[in-house]
Amino acid sequence: MDVVVLGEPLVEFSADQSLPEAETFHLSFSGDALNASVAAAAQGARVALVTRVGSDEFGERLIRFASGHGVDPRWMIRGEGATGAYAVGADPSGERSFAYLRYGSAASRMDRTDVDRSPIAESRVVLLSGITAAISGSCGQAVRHAAETASGRVVYDPNFRPRLTTPEAAAAVLRDVAPHAALIKISCPGDGGALVGLTDPSEVARACLAMGAAAVAVTLGENGVLLAESGREPVRIPVFPAERVVDQTGAGDVLAGTVCAFMSRGASLDVAVRAGMAASTISLSGRGGTGRPATREEVENLLR
């Protein structure tokens, strides 16, 4: 495998209005792990999603959806617990509300054995997230075990969600994973403020490098990305202008997945992050986290 993603795919119920007002929902499939997997596969990477889904109808549909988008489903194991889900109220301004239905889900039962049965040890790049670590104690152990197994080939996105975990617990995972990370993708001020107590992008990058990460991509919304690599001067990468914005759900996941795909074929971090930003911009024109995957040709056209 070029890219292996460890995490929980989710059934997505998305609405054009905020959740307290919405009456009509669109069914799709998302979750940070699935969003990133689909984005990486869209760039031609061989992608495996390591997870568990329920034995219900939604679990079957999730596997079909992932496979239909180029993700290898062999490590999507059906078992005990329901398939996780969430509802999201989409707002083009970026203000979104989420309601999760994932407590006790099949994926929350993942543990170290899921890592050991996967191709993580042989993969070129492994994508891990703070969301996966937060959904259960055993998942947190699996993330740490995966980071140790793939040390030096890990891309880590803290993706802090206060409804899932505390700042202290999320910061502890970040500290444990950072020494194994080839790249940490961290938002600022969101993740930076909550997990390292800093809101200046340069200081957030320095803090993550000091934890042992080889490089840090600090995402700054409309202000682009600050890319800092150990021993090099930081580089500010501007955003690509979006032609149309329908929904920002999963844009950061698309960036992470695309970065992994480009890293797996030997691209420099600067090129990989630019490609991720291009794919992320294109994804804004679709509904939900997997509604508008960017093709490899589209990304390369934007890079040119």
Side-chain angles (χ1 to χ4, degrees):
M1 289 295 137
D2 297 319
V3 178
V4 175
V5 183
L6 175 70
E8 180 176 32
L10 296 168
V11 181
E12 177 186 81
F13 301 97
S14 61
D16 292 327
Q17 296 175 294
S18 63
L19 290 182
E21 300 174 350
E23 296 182 354
T24 302
F25 290 83
H26 174 79
L27 172 66
S28 186
F29 302 97
S30 188
D32 67 310
L34 184 62
N35 299 340
S37 296
V38 169
Q43 298 307 309
R46 297 170 299 167
V47 182
L49 174 54
V50 179
T51 190
R52 299 188 196 181
V53 297
S55 296
D56 48 47
E57 292 82 357
F58 284 127
E60 180 182 351
R61 289 188 63 176
L62 259 172
I63 292 173
R64 291 205 313 264
F65 182 89
S67 180
H69 284 76
V71 178
D72 193 324
R74 285 180 289 171
W75 294 274
M76 299 178 70
I77 305 301
R78 303 184 70 181
E80 295 182 3
T83 302
Y86 75 99
V88 57
D91 184 343
S93 70
E95 295 297 325
R96 298 165 293 159
S97 57
F98 294 83
Y100 291 99
L101 305 168
R102 70 197 314 177
Y103 181 76
S105 67
S108 72
R109 302 166 191 244
M110 287 192 295
D111 55 30
R112 293 169 61 98
T113 63
D114 292 274
V115 175
D116 293 335
R117 67 170 173 81
S118 77
I120 282 177
E122 297 82 28
S123 177
R124 293 180 177 178
V125 181
V126 174
L127 177 59
L128 306 173
S129 85
I131 290 179
T132 305
I135 58 178
S136 72
S138 63
C139 284
Q141 294 173 5
V143 167
R144 290 175 168 91
H145 182 45
E148 294 169 356
T149 301
S151 188
R153 297 176 283 117
V154 172
V155 174
Y156 183 66
D157 184 355
N159 222 340
F160 176 63
R161 294 289 186 270
R163 289 192 178 188
L164 291 177
T165 187
T166 65
E168 294 77 15
V173 179
L174 174 62
R175 289 193 298 270
D176 290 344
V177 174
H180 306 289
L183 178 70
I184 289 176
K185 170 195 163 291
I186 184 168
S187 68
C188 185
D191 293 343
L195 305 188
V196 297
L198 301 168
T199 56
D200 178 86
S202 298
E203 293 180 356
V204 171
R206 283 195 292 269
C208 292
L209 291 173
M211 294 179 196
V216 184
V218 184
T219 59
L220 306 169
E222 62 183 14
N223 294 317
V225 171
L226 179 70
L227 177 61
E229 299 181 62
S230 181
R232 297 186 180 183
E233 287 295 316
V235 177
R236 183 69 69 101
I237 303 174
V239 298
F240 292 91
E243 294 184 0
R244 181 174 179 237
V245 178
V246 173
D247 185 3
Q248 296 190 28
T249 302
D253 308 328
V254 171
L255 190 155
T258 305
V259 167
C260 289
F262 272 71
M263 288 175 63
S264 74
R265 57 180 184 251
S268 67
L269 282 180
D270 178 77
V271 171
V273 171
R274 291 179 190 275
M277 294 175 68
S280 177
T281 296
I282 293 169
S283 76
L284 301 179
S285 63
R287 183 198 294 267
T290 56
R292 178 61 172 89
T295 67
R296 186 168 179 175
E297 182 180 13
E298 287 175 322
V299 169
E300 290 176 349
N301 285 340
L302 275 183
L303 291 178
R304 285 196 291 268

